[in-house]
């Protein structure tokens, strides 16, 4: 009887024992299989990350989180999950797995972190593994492989833009072509607020092209910087930041003498433009008014814009067609309140009217008279770039000292 009771007890207890082993073992139903629970390895890392075994040499940035998607791979061989944690807050998930397969862990290094950091993988069974992160803090916008280094020399507020083709503009005037085009700007260790505005050609096959604000066209990325001597601007090819809209008033009316003096039946008259079409564009940083006007002898394409720094600007482009008129006065741009000028100041022209200084970049004088009469302009004029400075402290367009490309390379070789 005792042997039979013992046999019955064993038969009843054995399935329970098997169940308990399966429940507490790392592999659950796979408890009686052999082999490791999981395997941790380096996943997919960018070219600027060095790898030694299970050690990753990463960067961190002072500006934002530096993300490394799919940086660690975890192969799970049993239907279970492993816990994930890090000593520097670099992982967002608490566990991976659930079923046999290969999983990836994204790393996100917080701003300013440097030194050693462990990413730990553990299981209640006692299995564990880890990846070591060696992190170096650098002055670089996170995630960018390359950047343009633009050294400028000048003074006062400057509105800078970078086109999709790498053309570098200051107050709408093209100054250089950068080796890297991007929409993230860093200046004086700060990430700048930026705008995006598209530009298209108002008339085809014109050299230089007649670029104006347009619903389509190619984007330009713009920002404001304040120069005091020689400074460096960094342009990164990285995802554009979310726009922060500033409150900016519309640009003031362009009160200027525009056109040419033409002969008429009742005597000479001034051929002033009459607006035909008008469009307004609001960016995160500016309000831009674009107008197409016409005189008897020309069409005028002009856009003016306001800024949050107390200055405003304009770009003018005339199409005189084929002209046979004689004239004694040509005024491509002359402020209405100007009593003299323009005066030559280096490679620009300068007006002063009611305390405001008007800087004009133009290959020809923006205003001149002829005695005896001379021929009126013919064909397309070169663009005129105007910057109005009511405070009188702007130092003119800056000089581009250099523009070069820098690559981010692994810091551990």
């Amino acid at each position: 009887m005792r042997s039979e009771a013992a046999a019955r007890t064993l038969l009843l207890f054995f399935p329970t024992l098997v169940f308990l082993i399966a429940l507490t073992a790392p592999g659950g139903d796979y408890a009686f299989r052999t082999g490791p629970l999981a395997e941790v390895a380096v996943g997919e890392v960018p070219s600027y990350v060095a790898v030694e075994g299970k050690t990753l040499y990463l960067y961190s940035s002072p500006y934002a989180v530096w993300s490394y998607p799919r940086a660690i791979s975890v192969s799970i061989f049993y239907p279970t999950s492993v816990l994930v944690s890090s000593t520097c807050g670099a992982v967002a998930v608490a566990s991976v797995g659930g079923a046999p397969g290969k999983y990836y862990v994204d790393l996100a290094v917080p701003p300013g972190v440097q030194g050693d950091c462990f990413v730990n993988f553990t299981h209640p069974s006692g299995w564990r593994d880890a990846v070591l992160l060696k992190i170096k803090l650098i002055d670089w916008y996170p995630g960018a492989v390359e950047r343009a280094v633009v050294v400028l020399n000048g003074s006062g507020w400057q509105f800078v833009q970078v086109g999709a083709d790498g053309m570098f503009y200051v107050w709408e005037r093209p100054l250089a072509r950068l080796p890297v085009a991007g929409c993230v700007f860093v200046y004086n260790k700060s990430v700048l607020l930026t705008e995006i505005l598209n530009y298209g050609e108002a008339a085809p096959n014109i050299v230089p092209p007649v670029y104006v604000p347009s619903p389509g066209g190619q984007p330009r990325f713009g920002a404001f910087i304040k120069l005091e001597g020689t400074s460096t601007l960094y342009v990164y090819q990285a995802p554009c930041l979310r726009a922060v809209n500033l409150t900016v008033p519309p640009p003031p009316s362009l009160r200027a003498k525009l056109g040419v003096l033409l002969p008429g039946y009742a005597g000479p008259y001034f051929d002033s433009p009459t607006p035909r079409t008008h469009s307004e564009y609001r960016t995160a940083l500016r309000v831009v008014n674009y107008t197409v006007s016409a005189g008897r002898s020309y069409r005028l394409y002009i856009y003016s814009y306001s800024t949050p720094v107390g200055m405003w600007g304009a770009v003018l482009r005339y199409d005189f067609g084929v002209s046979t008129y004689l004239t004694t006065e040509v005024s491509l741009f002359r402020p209405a309140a100007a009593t003299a000028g323009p005066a030559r100041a280096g490679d620009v022209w300068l007006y002063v009217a009611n305390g405001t200084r008007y800087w004009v970049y133009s290959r020809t004088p923006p205003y001149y008279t002829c005695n005896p009469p001379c021929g009126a302009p013919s064909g397309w004029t070169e663009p005129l770039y105007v910057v109005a400075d009511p405070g009188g402290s702007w130092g003119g367009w800056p000089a581009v000292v250099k523009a070069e490309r820098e690559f981010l390379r692994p810091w551990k070789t």
Side-chain angles (χ1 to χ4, degrees):
M1 293 293 292
R2 290 183 179 180
S3 61
E4 292 178 0
R8 284 196 300 269
T9 302
L10 182 61
L11 288 174
L12 290 173
F13 180 70
F14 184 73
T16 304
L17 178 63
V18 172
F19 174 75
L20 290 174
I21 294 173
L23 183 66
T24 58
D29 293 339
Y30 287 57
F32 298 103
R33 296 188 180 185
T34 60
L37 171 74
E39 183 178 85
V40 177
V42 173
E44 303 170 5
V45 295
S47 60
Y48 50 80
V49 173
V51 178
E52 285 184 349
K54 291 185 181 179
T55 299
L56 300 179
Y57 294 86
L58 307 182
Y59 288 109
S60 71
S61 169
Y63 304 116
V65 171
W66 201 311
S67 298
Y68 299 87
R70 300 166 68 93
I72 300 175
S73 70
V74 183
S75 297
I76 306 290
F77 302 118
Y78 296 88
T80 188
S81 297
V82 298
L83 303 177
V84 187
S85 63
S86 80
T87 58
C88 63
V91 294
V93 296
S95 65
V96 294
K102 190 172 186 178
Y103 300 86
Y104 288 94
V105 175
D106 299 338
L107 299 179
V109 180
V113 169
Q114 58 182 337
D116 290 353
C117 173
F118 285 94
V119 180
N120 296 308
F121 299 85
T122 59
H123 190 272
S125 67
W127 174 92
R128 64 180 58 249
D129 204 341
V131 172
L132 174 60
L133 312 180
K134 288 186 171 291
I135 303 171
K136 182 178 182 180
L137 175 64
I138 60 168
D139 187 8
W140 193 284
Y141 191 79
V145 178
E146 58 183 0
R147 68 183 180 183
V149 182
V150 188
V151 179
L152 302 170
N153 184 31
S155 62
W157 284 105
Q158 307 292 345
F159 175 61
V160 299
Q161 292 173 297
V162 177
D165 59 353
M167 185 60 71
F168 182 67
Y169 304 82
V170 180
W171 292 99
E172 300 283 339
R173 175 187 162 195
L175 292 186
R177 189 176 295 276
L178 305 186
V180 176
C183 60
V184 176
F185 301 161
V186 172
Y187 180 73
N188 278 351
K189 298 187 181 299
S190 298
V191 180
L192 303 181
L193 300 178
T194 55
E195 68 162 37
I196 301 176
L197 182 62
N198 291 335
Y199 290 75
E201 292 188 50
N205 304 319
I206 305 300
V207 180
V210 187
Y211 288 127
V212 297
S214 169
Q218 295 296 314
R220 293 185 196 171
F221 311 103
F224 286 91
I225 62 175
K226 192 170 187 179
L227 292 179
E228 295 179 359
T230 301
S231 300
T232 302
L233 171 70
Y234 298 99
V235 180
Y236 292 88
Q237 193 176 63
C240 299
L241 302 174
R242 182 180 178 182
V244 177
N245 295 316
L246 302 182
T247 301
V248 181
S253 299
L254 191 63
R255 296 176 179 174
K257 191 173 188 179
L258 306 171
V260 294
L261 189 69
L262 295 180
Y265 294 111
Y269 73 97
F270 199 82
D271 186 16
S272 297
T274 300
R276 301 298 188 194
T277 63
H278 172 265
S279 302
E280 182 182 271
Y281 299 87
R282 289 183 176 268
T283 73
L285 305 180
R286 299 183 299 161
V287 178
V288 184
N289 287 332
Y290 169 51
T291 304
V292 179
S293 302
R296 178 183 171 186
S297 59
Y298 61 88
R299 290 178 69 86
L300 172 59
Y301 301 80
I302 179 171
Y303 61 92
S304 59
Y305 54 93
S306 57
T307 75
V309 297
M311 301 168 64
W312 61 271
V315 180
L316 300 85
R317 194 76 183 270
Y318 289 84
D319 177 16
F320 281 94
V322 179
S323 174
T324 58
Y325 295 108
L326 292 177
T327 183
T328 57
E329 184 181 12
V330 176
S331 183
L332 303 180
F333 177 81
R334 188 170 193 253
T339 57
R344 193 67 167 168
D347 61 347
V348 300
W349 305 88
L350 185 61
Y351 293 101
V352 178
N354 290 338
T356 297
R357 302 172 76 184
Y358 294 86
W359 300 73
V360 184
Y361 179 83
S362 172
R363 296 184 184 276
T364 58
Y367 177 85
Y368 60 92
T369 58
C370 304
N371 188 16
C374 58
S378 180
W380 285 90
T381 65
E382 294 281 334
L384 288 86
Y385 303 97
V386 179
V387 176
D389 175 27
S393 60
W394 190 59
W397 278 272
V400 179
V401 179
K402 70 175 181 178
E404 59 187 19
R405 174 189 272 115
E406 283 187 353
F407 291 98
L408 184 60
R409 306 186 187 280
W411 64 270
K412 175 69 168 65
T413 57

